[in-house]
């Protein structure tokens, strides 16, 4: 007789009912998926979404995509994948402190940058200039999970995860997430990138630890550990028992000051942007090549041209590339190959 699988999902529902904040998004209350599916007997829908993201191809490619510094030589620089793990960890910590749904926060965090370009935000700016419709990585991340993955079938994620992915950069014009868990990811994303980018800049010799303004250090701390702990603690103290996720004013202002410092001293400096011109020329040549001759696209992307404008599909393809694959593709089409000669001694 086959052993019956324990109803783990029902146990999870019971735990959520007992321990979650009244403002949390409980797993059983999801608005559902775009297409109906047979539910899993063991996992909640948010847990399934997390697993689908981890196993998708776009997630694997994040390991070879730039965060700030193009193709760094050292082994310890942050990549788009390690950034994603940082965001997921911080988002879970905030959600746990506020008795929110950690599984939902983690799923959003793991999927929030799936549509990011090669060469970091430089690549995003370049595609935004090239594409007639513009290009924003949060919208592309949603397109990845809705359309591009699984050869056009998409991952069919829940509404709450899709909403969180689309609106994870809440500080911009696109809007704010509909769940508190999505707002946890908004804060986690900013906390993560400011701190690990600062560490990378110090490692690269762009900054020294003492360059960080003293008034920022006094509020946030002198190390990533201290700064992240300060940020999470501030969010907890200002949000517990409330239908919001917010930082205390002093920590918020210091965090904004640190972000401004990073833009001035790291992100928009010749060192960080020194290779951007080369990346722009490279992506520009590839964009023009594939728009003029879509037959050069891989079969899956060529098939997308039957449904979507070719310019959009070319952006889909270019944004999916890792840094090194973009360079490989450019070399393949635009760098001459040397002649192969016979044995000169014969």
């Amino acid at each position: 007789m086959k052993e019956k699988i324990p109803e783990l999902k029902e146990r999870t529902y019971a735990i959520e009912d007992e321990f979650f904040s009244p403002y949390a998004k409980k797993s059983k209350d999801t608005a559902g998926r775009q297409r109906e599916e047979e539910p899993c007997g063991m996992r909640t829908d948010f847990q399934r979404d997390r697993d689908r993201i981890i196993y998708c191809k776009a997630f694997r490619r994040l390991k070879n995509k730039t965060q700030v510094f193009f193709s760094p030589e050292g082994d310890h620089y942050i990549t788009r994948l390690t950034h994603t793990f940082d965001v997921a960890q911080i988002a879970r910590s905030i959600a746990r402190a506020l008795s929110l749904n950690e599984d939902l926060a983690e799923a959003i965090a793991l999927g929030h940058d799936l549509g990011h370009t090669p060469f970091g935000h430089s690549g995003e700016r370049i595609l935004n200039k090239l594409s007639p419709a513009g290009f924003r990585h949060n919208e592309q991340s949603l397109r990845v999970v809705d359309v591009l993955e699984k050869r056009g079938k998409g991952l069919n994620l829940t509404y709450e995860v899709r909403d969180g992915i689309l609106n994870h950069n809440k500080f911009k014009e696109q809007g704010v997430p509909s769940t508190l868990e999505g707002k946890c990811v908004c804060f986690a994303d900013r906390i993560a990138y400011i701190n690990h980018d600062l560490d990378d800049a110090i490692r690269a010799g762009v900054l020294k630890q003492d360059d960080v303004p003293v008034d920022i250090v006094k509020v946030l701390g002198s190390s990533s550990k201290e700064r992240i702990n300060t940020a999470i603690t501030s969010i907890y103290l200002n949000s517990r028992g409330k239908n919001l996720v917010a930082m205390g004013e002093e920590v918020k202002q210091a965090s904004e000051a640190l972000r401004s410092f990073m833009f001035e001293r790291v992100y928009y400096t010749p060192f960080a942007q020194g290779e951007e011109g080369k990346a722009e020329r490279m992506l520009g040549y590839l964009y023009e090549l594939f728009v003029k001759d879509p037959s050069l696209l891989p079969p899956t992307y060529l098939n997308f041209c039957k449904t979507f404008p070719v310019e959009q599909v070319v952006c889909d393809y270019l944004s999916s590339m890792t840094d090194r694959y973009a360079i490989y593709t450019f070399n393949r089409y635009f760098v001459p190959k040397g002649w192969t000669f016979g044995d000169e001694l014969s």
Side-chain angles (χ1 to χ4, degrees), residues 78-319:
I78 293 292
T79 67
R80 190 61 59 179
L81 181 63
T82 50
H83 163 72
T84 295
F85 285 138
D86 282 353
V87 175
Q89 174 60 32
I90 294 170
R92 286 193 68 116
S93 296
I94 297 171
R96 184 182 304 118
L98 298 177
S99 299
L100 301 176
N101 195 323
E102 292 182 48
D103 292 330
L104 173 55
E106 181 180 31
I108 295 170
L110 292 173
H112 83 284
D113 269 356
L114 290 178
H116 231 302
T117 60
F119 311 120
H121 286 284
S122 295
E124 182 175 15
R125 288 192 293 270
I126 292 164
L127 288 189
N128 188 48
K129 288 196 292 186
L130 290 171
S131 172
F135 184 93
R136 288 162 289 277
H137 80 273
N138 59 313
E139 295 175 0
Q140 188 66 20
S141 295
L142 184 64
R143 182 166 167 79
V144 167
V145 300
D146 279 357
V147 178
L148 301 181
E149 276 293 325
K150 299 182 72 173
R151 298 180 181 274
K153 295 179 181 178
L155 301 181
N156 197 28
L157 303 181
T158 58
Y159 166 80
E160 293 80 8
V161 174
R162 295 174 61 250
D163 168 81
I165 289 172
L166 177 63
N167 294 299
H168 74 267
N169 48 348
K170 84 177 188 74
F171 302 98
K172 298 185 181 178
E173 297 176 356
Q174 283 77 10
V176 297
S178 63
T179 64
L180 294 188
E181 290 80 4
K183 293 173 184 176
C184 291
V185 175
C186 292
F187 278 100
D189 186 27
R190 178 165 287 203
I191 292 167
Y193 79 70
I194 289 175
N195 282 284
H196 60 51
D197 291 353
L198 175 57
D199 286 345
D200 273 358
I202 293 172
R203 183 176 294 111
V206 179
L207 293 175
K208 300 188 296 294
Q209 189 74 50
D210 293 342
D211 289 335
V212 181
V214 175
D215 54 339
I216 295 176
V217 173
K218 286 181 178 178
V219 176
L220 300 181
S222 59
S223 67
S224 288
K225 175 183 176 181
E226 292 176 355
R227 290 188 294 267
I228 292 171
N229 185 68
T230 297
I232 294 174
T233 300
S234 178
I235 292 171
Y236 168 69
L237 293 175
N238 283 273
S239 309
R240 54 183 174 179
K242 302 175 185 177
N243 188 17
L244 55 79
V245 179
M247 244 180 214
E249 192 59 32
E250 183 182 32
V251 175
K252 178 182 176 181
Q253 290 183 5
S255 298
E256 287 297 318
L258 179 57
R259 183 172 180 270
S260 297
F261 170 78
M262 290 294 293
F263 271 94
E264 179 183 347
R265 296 291 300 274
V266 179
Y267 301 140
Y268 287 162
T269 61
F271 182 88
Q273 295 186 299
E275 300 297 298
E276 185 167 333
K278 296 177 185 177
E280 182 167 5
R281 288 189 291 275
M282 182 172 64
L283 292 177
Y285 280 128
L286 289 174
Y287 179 86
E288 183 178 1
L289 173 73
F290 292 124
V291 167
K292 287 184 176 179
D293 189 357
S295 67
L296 297 175
L297 293 167
T300 299
Y301 289 92
L302 184 58
N303 192 53
F304 285 141
C305 291
K306 299 176 183 177
T307 309
F308 305 102
V310 64
E311 294 86 357
Q312 182 176 28
V313 176
V314 171
C315 282
D316 290 336
Y317 183 43
L318 294 181
S319 64

Side-chain angles (χ1 to χ4, degrees), residues 2 13 16 25 54 71 119 144 187 279 285 312 332 335 337-338:
K2 187 175 180 180
Y13 288 163
E16 291 181 0
K25 173 58 69 171
I54 288 175
S71 303
F119 311 120
V144 167
F187 278 100
Y285 280 128
Q312 182 176 28
R332 176 185 176 189
V335 176
K337 296 180 181 178

